[in-house]
Amino acid sequence: MSFIFKNQLPTPAEIKHDYPLGDQLTALKVARDKEISDVITGKDDRFLLIIGPCSADNEDSVCDYISRLAPIQEKVKDKLIIIPRIYTNKPRTTGEGYKGIASQPDPEKAPDLVEGLIAMRKMHIRAISESGLTAADEMLYPENWGYVEDLLSYVAIGARSVEDQQHRLTVSGFDVASGMKNPTSGDFSVMLNSVYAAQHPHQFVYRGYEVETTGNPLTHVVLRGAVSKHGNTTTNYHYEDLIRLNEMYEKMDLVNPAAVIDTNHSNSGKKFKEQIRIAKEVMHNRKVSTDIHRLVKGLMIESYIEEDAQKIGEGIYGKSITDPCLGWADSERLIYDIAEQA
């Protein structure tokens, strides 16, 4: 066999038993989930802001960053619901490179998936405890959902996963807001088909069981830009893109039409400072079009303590080791600007 079976991983129940969330924080998450759900369903006219590091590479700096968001959330609570990004799994286009703390707790050491699951859970719990904010994470590996299902208030499905059947069916069993990104090709139909699949019930095999789901009505789209057949990045956050998306939504049997705009990745061409301009353009378009205002429920922004990115091993505290991010000063100003326009 070409597989070498190294370790049997602890079950989600075992990990949750050893690292419990606790009753008080569980109640906090239930309340946060309800607020976010009400935004997606249109019951609450506040705006979602999913913001934080490209990858959650270090517990101390990530929790430091999120704790800085907490007093800002209090100031803008009438306009925004801030959802910190704690992305513990990092998709890699070629399979090479840092795959996130869930796989590699120390980016400078060898992968350790058992310790990674523990590190992932400990960081999420610490962040909630210190900030009062429940987070977003990307579901790169559907079988890992059980380890964090009681912690997350938002789940993103990445551009490389959105066409995968197992991801779509797994999301159909979630009870939290879940964003399906457009694929790297930029095809809106693929993205909307993924939303359709996740909003409907299914029977399938999951972690060795036959399971049945009821569908997730909080599933929606995330626009992150695309890459053309010539390898050039193309954007999809402009007025015309959003009007087209709204028209396509209306033609499908989908509930709770909603879109979140990812201001980085192919929308910015990974020019991290462009996120400021893109965010402001999206907020402007929400003001000039009632359709766009109704459709666009939030933004995703990649932000950390120090701006830009570094190579693994450089050791700069609070600086991304994956995609470049906005620094704290720019991020803080931008959050207040978004709140003013929301």
Side-chain angles (χ1 to χ4, degrees), residues 5-11 14 114 117 147:
F5 288 80
K6 298 179 66 176
N7 293 305
Q8 183 168 4
L9 299 179
T11 66
E14 290 168 337
V114 175
L117 292 174
Y147 296 103

Side-chain angles (χ1 to χ4, degrees), residues 1 16 20 31 34 45 47 52 58 74 83 96 98 122 144 157 165 176 194 204 206 263 272-273 318 332 335:
M1 293 179 66
K16 286 192 281 191
K34 177 64 164 57
D45 63 0
F47 194 69
N58 177 280
E74 183 61 26
I83 308 172
E96 293 294 319
Y98 176 65
K122 285 175 65 179
N144 281 358
I157 306 302
Q165 185 81 338
V176 296
S194 187
F204 58 103
Y206 183 74
T263 62
F272 66 95
K273 289 274 193 179
E332 185 176 15
I335 294 171

Side-chain angles (χ1 to χ4, degrees), residues 40 171 205 222 274 317:
I40 298 296
V171 173
V205 175
V222 178
E274 285 292 287
Y317 179 82

Side-chain angles (χ1 to χ4, degrees), residues 265-279:
H265 296 98
S266 292
N267 270 332
S268 68
K270 295 192 178 180
K271 297 175 181 176
F272 66 95
K273 289 274 193 179
E274 285 292 287
Q275 295 184 98
I276 299 170
R277 179 191 59 78
I278 293 167

Side-chain angles (χ1 to χ4, degrees), residues 1 62 81 86 103 105 119-121 174 185 257 265 282 324:
M1 293 179 66
V62 168
I81 297 175
I86 304 182
S103 299
M120 171 175 69
R121 189 164 175 87
F174 292 179
S185 68
H265 296 98
V282 172

Side-chain angles (χ1 to χ4, degrees), residues 99-323:
K99 296 182 177 67
I101 202 168
S103 299
Q104 200 171 353
D106 187 334
E108 297 185 54
K109 295 181 181 178
D112 186 328
L113 271 66
V114 175
E115 287 302 314
L117 292 174
I118 294 170
M120 171 175 69
R121 189 164 175 87
K122 285 175 65 179
M123 179 163 53
H124 273 290
I125 292 173
R126 178 179 168 187
I128 299 169
S129 176
E130 293 181 357
S131 70
L133 303 176
T134 49
D137 202 345
E138 179 173 346
M139 187 181 70
L140 185 57
Y141 307 109
E143 61 270 26
N144 281 358
W145 168 244
Y147 296 103
V148 291
E149 64 179 342
D150 58 330
L151 306 177
L152 301 182
S153 286
Y154 188 96
V155 179
I157 306 302
R160 297 162 188 82
S161 302
V162 73
E163 295 185 72
D164 176 65
Q165 185 81 338
Q166 191 73 4
H167 282 81
R168 294 176 172 189
L169 301 186
T170 303
V171 173
S172 75
F174 292 179
D175 59 358
V176 296
S178 304
M180 299 290 199
K181 288 196 171 185
N182 62 261
T184 53
S185 68
D187 191 323
F188 280 14
S189 295
V190 168
M191 173 179 64
L192 287 166
N193 286 340
S194 187
V195 172
Y196 184 96
Q199 286 193 358
H200 288 76
H202 297 283
Q203 285 184 274
F204 58 103
V205 175
Y206 183 74
R207 292 187 64 90
Y209 287 85
E210 179 183 357
V211 299
E212 184 175 354
T213 61
T214 57
N216 179 1
L218 303 178
T219 311
H220 57 276
V221 304
V222 178
L223 301 185
R224 49 88 71 198
V227 180
S228 75
K229 64 182 180 181
H230 302 295
N232 303 315
T233 57
T234 60
T235 60
N236 58 16
Y237 61 85
H238 297 297
Y239 182 95
E240 295 80 6
D241 299 304
L242 301 177
I243 292 297
R244 174 172 167 258
L245 174 62
N246 189 63
E247 292 171 350
M248 293 180 72
Y249 246 123
E250 290 177 348
K251 294 176 181 177
M252 295 191 68
D253 180 24
L254 296 170
V255 297
N256 305 320
V260 170
I261 311 303
D262 180 346
T263 62
N264 213 12
H265 296 98
S266 292
N267 270 332
S268 68
K270 295 192 178 180
K271 297 175 181 176
F272 66 95
K273 289 274 193 179
E274 285 292 287
Q275 295 184 98
I276 299 170
R277 179 191 59 78
I278 293 167
K280 290 180 178 180
E281 179 179 327
V282 172
M283 300 309 292
H284 171 75
N285 286 335
R286 289 182 83 240
K287 285 193 175 298
V288 299
S289 167
T290 54
D291 287 338
I292 292 175
H293 188 278
R294 186 168 52 249
L295 178 69
V296 177
K297 306 287 190 180
L299 293 170
M300 281 186 177
I301 295 171
E302 292 197 318
S303 155
Y304 213 171
I305 296 170
E306 301 294 333
E307 72 174 25
D308 210 342
Q310 63 179 323
K311 293 180 180 178
I312 293 174
E314 289 186 34
I316 301 172
Y317 179 82
K319 192 170 187 177
S320 176
I321 61 171
T322 47
D323 289 350

Side-chain angles (χ1 to χ4, degrees), residues 71-90:
I72 299 176
Q73 170 65 98
E74 183 61 26
K75 292 176 183 177
V76 301
K77 64 183 179 181
D78 293 338
K79 293 287 188 176
L80 302 181
I81 297 175
I82 297 175
I83 308 172
R85 284 174 57 108
I86 304 182
Y87 278 33
T88 56
N89 298 280
K90 182 66 182 172

